[in-house]
Amino acid sequence: MKRFNLRALVILTLIAVVIMGAFHTAPAQAQKANTVTITFTQEPDSLNPMYTTQYFSGLTTELWLYGAWSYDDKLNLVPRLAKEIPTAENGGVSKDGKVITIKLRSDATWSDGEPVTSDDFVFTAAMYASEKNAPQGRTPYDQVTVTAPDKTTVVATFKDAYAPWPATLFNRVIPAHILKPIFDKDGTIDKADWNTNPTVGNGPFVLKEYQKGQFLLFARNEKFWGTKAKLDQILIKVTPDDAAQVAAVKAGDSDIAVFLSAPDAADLAKNAPVEIATVPSGYNEGLYVNLNKENGHPALQDLKVRQAISMALNRDELIAGVEAGIVKPSAGFWDGTPYQDPSIKPPAFDLAGAKKLLDDAGWKPGADGIRENAGVKLKLRYATNSKDVRKDAQLIAQKQLKDVGIDTELINYPNKTFLDSYAKDGPIATGKFDLAEWSSSPNFPDPETVRFKSSQIGTKDNNFVGANWYHISNPEMDKLFDTEKTTVDAAGRLKLFNQISKIMADNVYWIPLWQDPDIWAVNKRVTGIKFSGATPFWNVAEWAAK
């Protein structure tokens, strides 16, 4: 009798484990006709926008956390918490371009019923600027004074005219009534539970459940002050890789596939009931070069070596191998926008030229064919995340570089931690690479970026906060960046960015690979989606499911 009971207990326990595993993979309450399921191949590294620059994290905030405005599918600004977009005509932008006045809606509330007020905007700016916090970056809040004359008015005063304010100022606003008590008590919000479990938001959905490594479940915010969402829920499933995402779409377990490679999109178009949407978003795949003299390879300090690396890469072969030849080679960081100097073309493949540059730089082939100089081997740490297309690119590029005598150690960091901050010991932020591959964009559709400014190099003096993890330092380029920010004339600003993009290309601070538009697959049962290249889920409240 005891043997029977023990056996029954074991069987029941196993059944319970299976049931719980199924629940965590796809919660029972999410299996409804009016739920849309999205697959992510990277888990968000933070849900607080202060602490992340990750693409997937940004997608989630569009569901539950609004700012002053968003961009629609035509890249027009759409008011959110703001009653209207500030302009010179409505008095929202001062004549000198230094003061931005935002009039807020009076009916906006957080999902717990508390009103959204100007206090939340002032608090958001203060948290970015506070040296007691370690956000991914402080711009533009380190350059502006934010005040609140009343509960529905926010005044942002810059020292100089600030052209990129639409793309960088108050894209998201965090709740003062939730986080201020934590800041007052702990002196920081770096470790606030809200950063990873934000059950209070102000968007059309609210986080209902989060099982790390498995899924995030968002439910309709019934207290939403705008037009209520048509969907009951949105389930985001975290999949281990691209292949798992494609399989989920084919099996009907995913309605929306995110950030697809071109070959996977072509496969799904043929073999799944989906529509494919390709949306330019300012992204370009490329190699960041570690110029930090303390932890980067010494060879990379030499421009000739950087030029040789770029010339040794056969981009047509790379694209044929990983993107089925569908996308195009990239000419630079701002490629696909007017801000890239149009005279700059994708770097030409030149094997002989690359070898000569390496010879001229003093890096000669050793007995094993790998170049060396003063006893130092030219072996570079080539890092990326665990995305399949990038791992495939590494293998092809490794062979191409070896053809000119450059050896590489291929490193694949976990997707979730790949772009973590210095404070989180992120591998790129802390210099654990020589070449690092991923896809980046400026603050699209604005060309503004701070990742190449020397003031953004993390140091002990600034608590290692800054976006320039590559230690690029060019006074001429810094001056141009400072000038373009204060240039409100569109034509003048375009010329300045053309100059910046040429300096980037001439110095090979960033090695372009291929253009990387957003490619989506959407099950035909889902309607109403209009993807934006800047804020993709901007109209999520209008989504519906058949």
Short mmCIF file of all heavy atoms in Angstrom, two decimals, residues 11 21 31-32 38 63 78-79 100 174 218 223 238 262 273 283 297 353 381 407 453 475 489 509 544:
data_model
loop_
_atom_site.label_atom_id
_atom_site.label_comp_id
_atom_site.label_asym_id
_atom_site.label_seq_id
_atom_site.Cartn_x
_atom_site.Cartn_y
_atom_site.Cartn_z
N ILE A 11 3.74 10.26 -9.52
CA ILE A 11 3.02 10.53 -10.77
C ILE A 11 2.30 11.87 -10.69
O ILE A 11 2.35 12.69 -11.61
CB ILE A 11 2.02 9.39 -11.08
CG1 ILE A 11 2.80 8.11 -11.40
CG2 ILE A 11 1.09 9.78 -12.22
CD1 ILE A 11 1.91 6.89 -11.54
N GLY A 21 4.73 23.94 -15.87
CA GLY A 21 5.61 24.31 -16.98
C GLY A 21 4.81 24.85 -18.14
O GLY A 21 5.17 25.85 -18.76
N GLN A 31 -4.88 32.28 -23.24
CA GLN A 31 -5.38 31.51 -24.36
C GLN A 31 -6.81 31.92 -24.71
O GLN A 31 -7.77 31.18 -24.50
CB GLN A 31 -5.29 30.00 -24.04
CG GLN A 31 -3.91 29.55 -23.59
CD GLN A 31 -2.82 29.94 -24.57
OE1 GLN A 31 -2.94 29.67 -25.76
NE2 GLN A 31 -1.78 30.56 -24.08
N LYS A 32 -6.93 33.14 -25.23
CA LYS A 32 -8.24 33.66 -25.59
C LYS A 32 -8.20 34.17 -27.01
O LYS A 32 -7.16 34.58 -27.53
CB LYS A 32 -8.63 34.81 -24.64
CG LYS A 32 -8.78 34.41 -23.18
CD LYS A 32 -9.17 35.62 -22.34
CE LYS A 32 -9.34 35.26 -20.88
NZ LYS A 32 -9.69 36.44 -20.05
N ILE A 38 2.98 37.83 -29.30
CA ILE A 38 4.17 38.34 -29.98
C ILE A 38 5.38 37.55 -29.50
O ILE A 38 5.48 37.23 -28.31
CB ILE A 38 4.39 39.83 -29.66
CG1 ILE A 38 3.13 40.64 -29.97
CG2 ILE A 38 5.57 40.40 -30.44
CD1 ILE A 38 3.20 42.10 -29.49
N LEU A 63 3.40 49.65 -25.09
CA LEU A 63 2.13 49.05 -24.68
C LEU A 63 1.57 49.72 -23.43
O LEU A 63 0.36 49.89 -23.31
CB LEU A 63 2.31 47.55 -24.40
CG LEU A 63 2.92 46.68 -25.50
CD1 LEU A 63 3.03 45.24 -25.02
CD2 LEU A 63 2.12 46.77 -26.78
N VAL A 78 2.56 62.45 -32.77
CA VAL A 78 1.19 62.29 -32.31
C VAL A 78 1.15 62.59 -30.81
O VAL A 78 1.89 61.99 -30.03
CB VAL A 78 0.70 60.85 -32.55
CG1 VAL A 78 -0.71 60.66 -32.02
CG2 VAL A 78 0.78 60.49 -34.02
N PRO A 79 0.31 63.52 -30.36
CA PRO A 79 0.25 63.83 -28.92
C PRO A 79 -0.21 62.62 -28.11
O PRO A 79 -1.10 61.89 -28.53
CB PRO A 79 -0.79 64.95 -28.84
CG PRO A 79 -0.90 65.50 -30.21
CD PRO A 79 -0.61 64.35 -31.14
N ILE A 100 10.84 74.96 -24.44
CA ILE A 100 9.75 74.11 -24.93
C ILE A 100 8.69 74.05 -23.84
O ILE A 100 8.96 73.60 -22.72
CB ILE A 100 10.24 72.68 -25.27
CG1 ILE A 100 11.51 72.72 -26.14
CG2 ILE A 100 9.13 71.89 -25.94
CD1 ILE A 100 11.34 73.42 -27.46
N ILE A 174 8.00 58.53 -16.12
CA ILE A 174 7.88 57.53 -15.06
C ILE A 174 7.06 58.12 -13.90
O ILE A 174 7.02 59.33 -13.71
CB ILE A 174 9.26 57.04 -14.59
CG1 ILE A 174 10.12 58.20 -14.08
CG2 ILE A 174 9.97 56.32 -15.74
CD1 ILE A 174 11.48 57.77 -13.54
N PHE A 218 0.38 41.27 -20.81
CA PHE A 218 -0.21 42.60 -20.62
C PHE A 218 -1.72 42.53 -20.81
O PHE A 218 -2.20 41.92 -21.79
CB PHE A 218 0.38 43.60 -21.62
CG PHE A 218 1.85 43.87 -21.41
CD1 PHE A 218 2.81 43.07 -22.01
CD2 PHE A 218 2.27 44.91 -20.60
CE1 PHE A 218 4.16 43.31 -21.83
CE2 PHE A 218 3.62 45.16 -20.41
CZ PHE A 218 4.57 44.36 -21.02
N LYS A 223 -8.57 51.45 -16.80
CA LYS A 223 -8.62 52.84 -16.35
C LYS A 223 -7.93 53.78 -17.33
O LYS A 223 -7.66 54.94 -16.99
CB LYS A 223 -7.98 52.96 -14.96
CG LYS A 223 -8.76 52.22 -13.87
CD LYS A 223 -8.11 52.44 -12.50
CE LYS A 223 -8.89 51.71 -11.42
NZ LYS A 223 -8.27 51.90 -10.08
N VAL A 238 9.07 34.87 -24.86
CA VAL A 238 10.50 34.93 -25.08
C VAL A 238 10.96 33.61 -25.68
O VAL A 238 10.81 32.55 -25.06
CB VAL A 238 11.26 35.21 -23.77
CG1 VAL A 238 12.76 35.28 -24.02
CG2 VAL A 238 10.76 36.51 -23.13
N ALA A 262 15.82 38.57 -43.42
CA ALA A 262 15.17 38.52 -44.71
C ALA A 262 14.85 37.08 -45.15
O ALA A 262 13.74 36.81 -45.64
CB ALA A 262 16.03 39.22 -45.76
N PRO A 273 0.34 31.67 -42.64
CA PRO A 273 -0.72 32.62 -43.01
C PRO A 273 -0.43 34.03 -42.50
O PRO A 273 -1.12 34.56 -41.61
CB PRO A 273 -1.96 32.02 -42.33
CG PRO A 273 -1.42 31.35 -41.11
CD PRO A 273 -0.07 30.80 -41.51
N TYR A 283 17.97 51.73 -38.94
CA TYR A 283 18.93 50.76 -38.42
C TYR A 283 19.90 50.30 -39.51
O TYR A 283 19.51 50.09 -40.66
CB TYR A 283 18.22 49.54 -37.85
CG TYR A 283 17.73 49.75 -36.44
CD1 TYR A 283 16.51 50.36 -36.20
CD2 TYR A 283 18.48 49.36 -35.35
CE1 TYR A 283 16.04 50.57 -34.91
CE2 TYR A 283 18.03 49.55 -34.05
CZ TYR A 283 16.82 50.16 -33.84
OH TYR A 283 16.38 50.36 -32.56
N HIS A 297 42.39 45.95 -28.35
CA HIS A 297 43.63 45.50 -28.99
C HIS A 297 44.42 46.71 -29.50
O HIS A 297 43.85 47.59 -30.13
CB HIS A 297 43.30 44.56 -30.15
CG HIS A 297 44.47 43.75 -30.61
ND1 HIS A 297 45.53 44.29 -31.31
CD2 HIS A 297 44.76 42.43 -30.47
CE1 HIS A 297 46.42 43.35 -31.58
NE2 HIS A 297 45.98 42.21 -31.07
N GLY A 353 44.59 45.44 -51.20
CA GLY A 353 44.73 46.71 -50.50
C GLY A 353 44.77 46.54 -49.00
O GLY A 353 45.53 47.23 -48.30
N ARG A 381 38.95 40.00 -30.53
CA ARG A 381 37.73 39.45 -29.94
C ARG A 381 36.54 40.00 -30.71
O ARG A 381 36.24 41.19 -30.63
CB ARG A 381 37.63 39.83 -28.46
CG ARG A 381 38.72 39.28 -27.57
CD ARG A 381 38.73 40.00 -26.23
NE ARG A 381 39.07 41.41 -26.38
CZ ARG A 381 38.95 42.32 -25.43
NH1 ARG A 381 38.47 41.96 -24.23
NH2 ARG A 381 39.28 43.58 -25.65
N ASP A 407 43.36 37.09 -37.15
CA ASP A 407 42.66 36.01 -36.45
C ASP A 407 41.57 36.61 -35.56
O ASP A 407 41.66 37.77 -35.15
CB ASP A 407 43.66 35.23 -35.58
CG ASP A 407 43.11 33.87 -35.16
OD1 ASP A 407 42.06 33.45 -35.69
OD2 ASP A 407 43.75 33.22 -34.30
N LYS A 453 30.14 60.74 -28.96
CA LYS A 453 30.71 61.94 -28.37
C LYS A 453 31.69 61.58 -27.25
O LYS A 453 31.41 60.69 -26.43
CB LYS A 453 29.61 62.85 -27.82
CG LYS A 453 28.73 63.49 -28.88
CD LYS A 453 27.86 64.56 -28.28
CE LYS A 453 28.69 65.70 -27.74
NZ LYS A 453 27.87 66.80 -27.21
N PRO A 475 37.80 65.73 -31.40
CA PRO A 475 37.37 67.09 -31.08
C PRO A 475 36.58 67.76 -32.20
O PRO A 475 35.61 68.48 -31.94
CB PRO A 475 38.68 67.82 -30.81
CG PRO A 475 39.63 66.76 -30.38
CD PRO A 475 39.25 65.54 -31.19
N ASP A 489 17.73 75.28 -38.20
CA ASP A 489 17.54 75.28 -39.64
C ASP A 489 17.81 73.88 -40.19
O ASP A 489 18.91 73.34 -40.05
CB ASP A 489 18.50 76.28 -40.30
CG ASP A 489 18.48 76.20 -41.82
OD1 ASP A 489 17.42 76.43 -42.41
OD2 ASP A 489 19.55 75.87 -42.39
N TYR A 509 35.53 54.70 -37.56
CA TYR A 509 35.12 54.52 -36.18
C TYR A 509 34.02 53.45 -36.07
O TYR A 509 33.82 52.87 -35.00
CB TYR A 509 34.58 55.84 -35.62
CG TYR A 509 35.62 56.90 -35.39
CD1 TYR A 509 35.34 58.23 -35.65
CD2 TYR A 509 36.88 56.58 -34.88
CE1 TYR A 509 36.28 59.22 -35.41
CE2 TYR A 509 37.83 57.56 -34.66
CZ TYR A 509 37.52 58.88 -34.92
OH TYR A 509 38.47 59.86 -34.69
N ALA A 544 -6.77 44.57 -33.46
CA ALA A 544 -7.89 43.67 -33.20
C ALA A 544 -7.53 42.28 -33.71
O ALA A 544 -6.62 42.11 -34.51
CB ALA A 544 -9.16 44.18 -33.88
#
